[in-house]
Amino acid sequence: MLAIARQRMLVQSFKKIPPAVSVLRSYSSAAKQITVREALNSALDEEMSADPKVFLMGEEVGEYQGAYKITKGLLEKYGPERVLDTPITEAGFTGIGVGAAYYGLKPVVEFMTFNFSMQAIDHIINSAAKSNYMSAGQISVPIVFRGPNGAAAGVGAQHSQCYAAWYASCPGLKVLSPYNSEDARGLLKAAIRDPDPVVFLENELLYGESFPVSDEVLDSSFCLPIGKAKIEREGKDVTITAFSKMVGYALKAAEMLEKDGIYAEVINLRSIRPLDRSTINASVRKTNRLITVEEGFPQHGVGAEICASVVEESFSYLDAPVERIAGADVPMPYAANLERMAVPQVEDIVRAAKRACYRSVPLAAAA
């Protein structure tokens, strides 16, 4: 009886707690929440069900159901011929995957982390990315390379690097980087259906995050266009571009800026290559300011390419210097306090936006 009474009191107390307000205002009519992990899993499941040429391969994708459980239940449903556990040899199984794509199959190759894709980069760049051009269009390579990219937590420099800029610099590849569950589901489906090799950069820390999705997103026919960014939040004072985990940081920064009367427009890039330059430039021509945000190194980064595009196409619209927020130009430290200093924080975005809007002391003056 005491346990039942406690349970009733607990239920009543929860009813008094007001619901949290999501920063993703565009999802206000969404009916359901799913995690990024569930979104990726359902996309793989549906595409494998729709097309028998699609198969998965990688370390621990089968019996263990994926190092991050993205492939959970797929071995049992589709069998070992379509869900292949591989030895710990990225160079070997990536080469096999590219060969299978040459033959007309549609492999989805999982890297336990994209840091390990360095073992296979010859197959990704020289075998997959360049074959269609070098064969004058005779060879199509419909393959997806997917897995977690960028910083996680406490895993050191060899497991924390962002490879978005690396792969996005190579013609022949398409590079996608989802932020929320809608992105993950719609972009992975698009990647699997695409006739060209796609590098699909996920984020380990986002796998367990839940996001609202509409009935349209949950439909098996749902697919997002490659090369199209999404304006997550409209604004008039400053444009903030971001991808992957940094989109969430940008949205939090935008909420903080609004309290100071600065209305930021947040663009979720979604696609790194091809890059949606038209959406970015249109936004900058409206706000007259630009802040780019990424976890990767600052030199030759995604933000540098965006800044160059805006300077080339929209320079006369700028009312302030463009600013790049990026990771520190050092290998990722292992210590937690140093790791936090090495990756962008919400406060960094807020300060940069205020500088662009001339609401604070510029960096040069502060120095």
Side-chain angles (χ1 to χ4, degrees):
M1 291 296 292
L2 183 60
I4 294 173
R6 284 177 176 171
Q7 186 177 9
R8 288 176 178 171
M9 290 175 64
L10 188 62
V11 170
Q12 290 300 320
S13 66
F14 275 127
K15 288 181 178 178
K16 296 177 182 179
I17 299 175
V21 178
S22 172
V23 297
L24 300 175
R25 297 178 177 179
S26 59
Y27 290 121
S28 58
S29 61
K32 184 181 178 182
Q33 289 213 356
I34 62 172
T35 65
V36 172
R37 177 182 289 109
E38 291 168 336
L40 293 168
N41 178 268
S42 64
L44 289 170
D45 185 10
E46 290 172 10
E47 292 306 301
M48 291 181 74
S49 178
D51 189 345
K53 293 182 179 179
V54 179
F55 72 96
L56 314 181
M57 62 189 308
E59 297 158 4
E60 299 183 347
V61 298
E63 294 289 347
Y64 192 66
Q65 305 193 77
Y68 303 99
K69 306 308 177 200
I70 304 300
T71 53
K72 184 178 180 180
L74 300 181
L75 173 64
E76 182 180 358
K77 184 171 183 179
Y78 296 103
E81 290 188 354
R82 295 185 65 193
V83 182
L84 284 73
D85 278 320
T86 66
I88 304 175
T89 169
E90 284 80 9
F93 66 73
T94 304
I96 293 171
V98 173
Y102 283 174
Y103 190 71
L105 299 177
K106 297 181 179 181
V108 179
V109 176
E110 176 179 310
F111 296 119
M112 202 173 288
T113 163
F114 257 91
N115 295 267
F116 298 159
S117 74
M118 295 295 95
Q119 303 291 327
I121 197 166
D122 180 51
H123 291 300
I124 298 171
I125 302 298
N126 286 324
S127 301
K130 299 176 181 178
S131 291
N132 185 264
Y133 180 84
M134 293 179 70
S135 67
Q138 296 180 77
I139 299 176
S140 183
V141 192
I143 187 170
V144 177
F145 307 101
R146 56 154 296 270
N149 169 70
V155 292
Q158 308 98 317
H159 302 80
S160 301
Q161 189 167 331
C162 174
Y163 289 94
W166 281 50
Y167 287 116
S169 69
C170 182
L173 287 178
K174 294 176 181 175
V175 182
L176 308 178
S177 187
Y179 161 57
N180 54 29
S181 301
E182 176 181 326
D183 293 355
R185 186 169 157 79
L187 291 176
L188 185 54
K189 281 174 164 284
I192 294 172
R193 297 175 189 180
D194 199 89
D196 297 314
V198 178
V199 171
F200 196 85
L201 304 171
E202 302 155 11
N203 186 282
E204 179 184 337
L205 299 179
L206 288 176
Y207 284 148
E209 291 288 321
S210 294
F211 294 91
V213 292
S214 64
D215 290 337
E216 178 190 2
V217 173
L218 295 173
D219 190 274
S220 61
S221 63
F222 177 72
C223 187
L224 287 173
I226 292 175
K228 183 65 179 172
K230 180 185 179 185
I231 297 177
E232 295 282 353
R233 179 183 179 122
E234 293 190 355
K236 63 182 180 63
D237 296 321
V238 59
T239 296
I240 303 175
T241 66
F243 61 94
S244 190
K245 189 170 181 283
M246 290 295 105
V247 177
Y249 282 30
L251 288 167
K252 289 177 183 177
E255 288 220 328
M256 294 171 65
L257 289 165
E258 186 176 3
K259 295 175 183 177
D260 291 329
I262 297 173
Y263 297 92
E265 182 149 292
V266 177
I267 298 178
N268 174 6
L269 295 177
R270 284 181 168 172
S271 178
I272 311 301
R273 185 184 184 105
L275 187 65
D276 190 355
R277 300 171 192 271
S278 60
T279 293
I280 296 168
N281 278 278
S283 176
V284 171
R285 292 181 183 193
K286 178 177 69 172
T287 67
N288 311 115
R289 295 170 177 85
L290 172 67
I291 310 295
T292 70
V293 188
E294 63 186 306
E295 277 191 0
F297 300 134
Q299 187 159 325
H300 309 302
V302 175
E305 178 64 25
I306 293 172
C307 289
S309 174
V310 168
V311 168
E312 290 168 355
E313 299 179 39
S314 305
F315 179 77
S316 61
Y317 290 85
L318 291 170
D319 287 341
V322 296
E323 285 215 33
R324 291 181 295 152
I325 305 297
D329 199 19
V330 297
M332 180 65 71
Y334 176 74
N337 58 333
L338 297 178
E339 183 181 63
R340 189 180 190 281
M341 294 172 65
V343 295
Q345 302 298 324
V346 174
E347 295 80 10
D348 299 324
I349 305 171
V350 171
R351 284 193 292 267
K354 286 184 176 181
R355 284 194 297 270
C357 294
Y358 302 107
R359 297 289 187 90
S360 65
V361 179
L363 277 177

